[in-house]
Amino acid sequence: MSRLSGIEIQDALSGLDGWEFKDNAIRKTFTFETYMESIGFINRLAEIAEEANHHPDMVVGWRRVDVAFTSHDQGGVTLACIEMAKKANKC
C-alpha cells in the first residue's frame, strides 16, 4: 500500500471527525469519562490493530488516549491508516 499525498490525506480526513495530519501521521485525542474506559478503548483498538496488522502509537493519560497512525514501511500515511482511523472512531 503506497503513501498518500498531502491532498489525499486532507480529503480523507475531511470525513473523519477529530483527526488531523501532523508530523507525518494522522492523530486524534480520544477522551473518556473514566480512566478505565480509556484502558478499555486501548484494548479494543489493540485487538483490531492486531487483526489488521497495522498498529497505532498510543499514549494514555488520565481519561484520554492520544492515537497516531502512520506506516513506517511506507514512510507516511497510507489507506490502511485511514481505514484504522475509521475503526478507531467506532471503538
Side-chain angles (χ1 to χ4, degrees), residues 2-14 21 26 77-79 82:
S2 63
R3 187 174 69 184
L4 300 176
S5 71
I7 291 172
E8 290 171 318
I9 294 166
Q10 292 304 327
D11 285 346
L13 293 183
S14 69
F21 178 57
I26 57 173
V77 176
T78 65
L79 282 177
I82 302 298

Side-chain angles (χ1 to χ4, degrees), residues 18-54:
W19 289 88
E20 67 174 340
F21 178 57
K22 182 179 176 186
D23 299 329
N24 208 33
I26 57 173
R27 303 171 179 281
K28 181 176 180 177
T29 298
F30 293 85
T31 56
F32 302 90
E33 292 293 317
T34 68
Y35 177 78
M36 290 310 295
E37 285 179 20
S38 66
I39 298 303
F41 170 81
I42 287 173
N43 288 330
R44 290 188 302 275
L45 186 54
E47 289 287 332
I48 293 167
E50 188 66 15
E51 274 185 30
N53 194 30
H54 196 70

Side-chain angles (χ1 to χ4, degrees), residues 47-91:
E47 289 287 332
I48 293 167
E50 188 66 15
E51 274 185 30
N53 194 30
H54 196 70
H55 306 88
D57 292 328
M58 294 187 276
V59 177
V60 64
W62 184 68
R63 299 182 351 176
R64 75 164 209 289
V65 178
D66 299 322
V67 178
F69 284 104
T70 191
S71 174
H72 300 287
D73 294 343
Q74 296 298 319
V77 176
T78 65
L79 282 177
C81 300
I82 302 298
E83 290 304 312
M84 287 302 297
K86 290 176 184 177
K87 291 177 181 180
N89 276 355
K90 294 179 181 177
C91 274

